[in-house]
Amino acid sequence: MMEGGSRLPWTKYGSVLSLFVVLLAIWFRSPQDTVLDDRLDTVLSSLLRAERKVGVNNARPRVAVGFGGCVDLIVDGVSFLNKMGVSHTDQPLHHDYLENAEQLAQSFAYFFAPGAAAERFMINETLFSELVEGARDLPGNRWSVGGNAPVMAGRMATEGCDVLLGGSFSPDFTEVLSQHIAVAGKMIEEPDIHLILEYSSGASWGTYTSRRANRYIIHSDAHNPYFDSLEEFAEKLEDFRPDLLVVGGLQMMDNFPFNSGEREAVLSQLADLLTSSSPQIGIHFEMASFVEENIVDDLLHYVIPHADSLGMNEQELPNLLSLLKGSNITVLSDPNPRVATVLDQMREVYRILNQRYKDANSHSEANNGKSKGKPLTRLHVHTLAFQAMIVTHGSQWKNTMSATAKASLTANRHVCGSNDIDLSKARLIMDDSFSISHREGSQRIPLQETRPVSCWDEDDYQICVAPVLVCTEVYQTAGGGDNISAAGLVLQI
């Protein structure tokens, strides 16, 4: 009785004490915190106003998106590796593909500490199946529609588009797609599964601590690398008459054990499809994590010359630029680059690709041939801290400022898992002002809360940069780039 009685006063007055503590916290709240809250609120309302300046037209834009798709099995990466007995390693190493648990540990550690996104093909099907079975039993796991094409298609349907999706899916898969998505492809019994190992900023695995939230993806696809929906997609494309054609998912070919000539044959078919599409249709290519130099060389031959729009993240941009300049693949780059660094890299990619286009067509005209490919007129890079776009003056891409704002807002909405942006779960990490280039004497632009999207003209293009309200309580990073790119495109068709 005495023991019970001794606890009674705390039970009785606990709620009063809690209220008192809360009131004290509010009373002693730092004025700086209030200023930061007001600043975030102003940035958010300004971004929302910029997003709402334009809307999707009443006719619902028509977008064709390929290729492939999968079912994502999403788990907490650290908990999963611990459960599977994959011990942390003191040797973080880059591997082009995975054969065993030791390579998985080394590769995961390599990208986990800096917090860089990565995706690797596992050639050991038995090990992959064991990992999938282990993930199925892990508490808190989630299943989701995955793959570049279905994720982008889903976002575009949500934002008001009618979509033709190219891919081979199971009946269960197609049932959960939006009614505004029509599928072109074969039915399959079992979809490819991708293991998504998510982790938060500050997560620990052994001696490693992640610098930012991100994910490590493992796959062992059987269907996606072959693009077996390509023929049916091409047939339906003619009647569908899209305003925009989006191509993604080509990283499924990276380090896949094709027979000699198989990959080139598939990419040649894709090139024929892109070449035969109407010149009035915009073509967007969404980059991804590539580590095999041969496939990026193939992309530079078969795909990128036919795209007038490219989308990529802060890892994929220097990777592409490195290869364009004749260097090796850049496997790991700064996961939190400065604005000036990204803009200089974007300008260089834009310049090199358009010079390649001019050179190819000068040679073709000299030999009385047809014009080849398309000039690059739109480049969108999405990073954790900001969104950046380059759009050519007079091109078909419109509403660049609003599109950049929408891409920024979509980053928070997707990662936090909510359409409503909660400022208590957001922060700005972009600098208060940024230099537009590392060139000496370059202009600095201050971040204005009431006009957070900064746009200016250079050469033959406009550049827009918008800060991201970075989500601090991460629901999911996988699919972030696809959602962001798709949302930005919707307002520019």
Side-chain angles (χ1 to χ4, degrees), residues 229-299:
S229 62
L230 186 57
E231 194 172 320
E232 190 169 337
F233 182 76
E235 288 172 6
K236 292 193 175 181
L237 202 58
E238 197 169 333
D239 292 334
F240 185 71
R241 298 183 181 278
D243 302 299
L244 173 70
L245 173 57
V246 177
V247 176
L250 271 67
Q251 74 275 17
M252 295 300 100
M253 293 181 160
D254 192 277
N255 279 296
F256 186 80
F258 287 105
N259 293 324
S260 178
E262 274 186 328
R263 184 169 72 197
E264 292 78 5
V266 174
L267 288 172
S268 181
Q269 274 186 285
L270 176 57
D272 290 342
L273 170 67
L274 300 179
T275 305
S276 63
S277 67
S278 167
Q280 283 71 47
I281 297 173
I283 296 177
H284 173 83
F285 173 53
E286 189 66 18
M287 287 284 290
S289 177
F290 292 97
V291 292
E292 185 188 350
E293 290 192 8
N294 286 341
I295 189 171
V296 184
D297 285 339
D298 285 343
L299 296 179

Side-chain angles (χ1 to χ4, degrees), residues 158-401:
T158 298
E159 301 292 350
C161 300
D162 286 328
V163 182
L164 177 67
L165 171 61
S168 298
F169 309 118
S170 65
D172 290 345
F173 190 102
T174 54
E175 279 177 13
V176 300
L177 296 176
S178 163
Q179 62 180 359
H180 294 290
I181 298 176
V183 173
K186 301 168 184 172
M187 280 290 179
I188 56 176
E189 288 185 20
E190 292 292 333
D192 291 323
I193 294 175
H194 289 192
L195 267 179
I196 317 293
L197 278 55
E198 292 266 357
Y199 52 86
S200 59
S201 176
S204 294
W205 185 58
T207 57
Y208 306 104
T209 301
S210 62
R211 282 170 51 191
R212 56 168 281 192
N214 226 315
R215 73 278 182 186
Y216 185 96
I217 302 174
I218 314 166
H219 66 90
S220 189
D221 284 4
H223 304 288
N224 287 321
Y226 293 102
F227 284 32
D228 51 10
S229 62
L230 186 57
E231 194 172 320
E232 190 169 337
F233 182 76
E235 288 172 6
K236 292 193 175 181
L237 202 58
E238 197 169 333
D239 292 334
F240 185 71
R241 298 183 181 278
D243 302 299
L244 173 70
L245 173 57
V246 177
V247 176
L250 271 67
Q251 74 275 17
M252 295 300 100
M253 293 181 160
D254 192 277
N255 279 296
F256 186 80
F258 287 105
N259 293 324
S260 178
E262 274 186 328
R263 184 169 72 197
E264 292 78 5
V266 174
L267 288 172
S268 181
Q269 274 186 285
L270 176 57
D272 290 342
L273 170 67
L274 300 179
T275 305
S276 63
S277 67
S278 167
Q280 283 71 47
I281 297 173
I283 296 177
H284 173 83
F285 173 53
E286 189 66 18
M287 287 284 290
S289 177
F290 292 97
V291 292
E292 185 188 350
E293 290 192 8
N294 286 341
I295 189 171
V296 184
D297 285 339
D298 285 343
L299 296 179
L300 288 169
H301 177 73
Y302 291 106
V303 181
I304 291 175
H306 304 293
D308 33 27
S309 171
L310 297 178
M312 62 197 74
N313 67 20
E314 74 286 335
Q315 296 291 315
E316 295 147 13
L317 173 65
N319 194 357
L320 175 61
L321 179 58
S322 179
L323 283 160
L324 283 171
K325 295 171 82 169
S327 301
N328 296 328
I329 271 187
T330 306
V331 176
L332 183 61
S333 302
D334 184 355
N336 294 299
R338 308 300 286 268
V339 177
T341 301
V342 169
L343 292 182
D344 281 345
Q345 291 171 341
M346 290 175 71
R347 292 182 184 99
E348 193 74 346
V349 167
Y350 180 89
R351 182 191 66 78
I352 293 172
L353 287 177
N354 280 317
Q355 189 59 53
R356 284 185 169 208
Y357 166 78
K358 289 173 187 172
D359 292 345
N361 280 285
S362 295
H363 183 266
S364 183
E365 286 170 15
N367 292 284
N368 298 317
K370 288 168 57 180
S371 62
K372 292 185 174 183
K374 291 183 168 192
L376 179 66
T377 52
R378 180 182 182 275
L379 179 57
H380 177 191
V381 175
H382 37 85
T383 80
L384 177 68
F386 59 90
Q387 305 291 317
M389 285 194 196
I390 287 180
V391 173
T392 306
H393 293 311
S395 63
Q396 81 252 44
W397 311 107
K398 55 191 181 184
N399 307 320
T400 306
M401 189 273 289

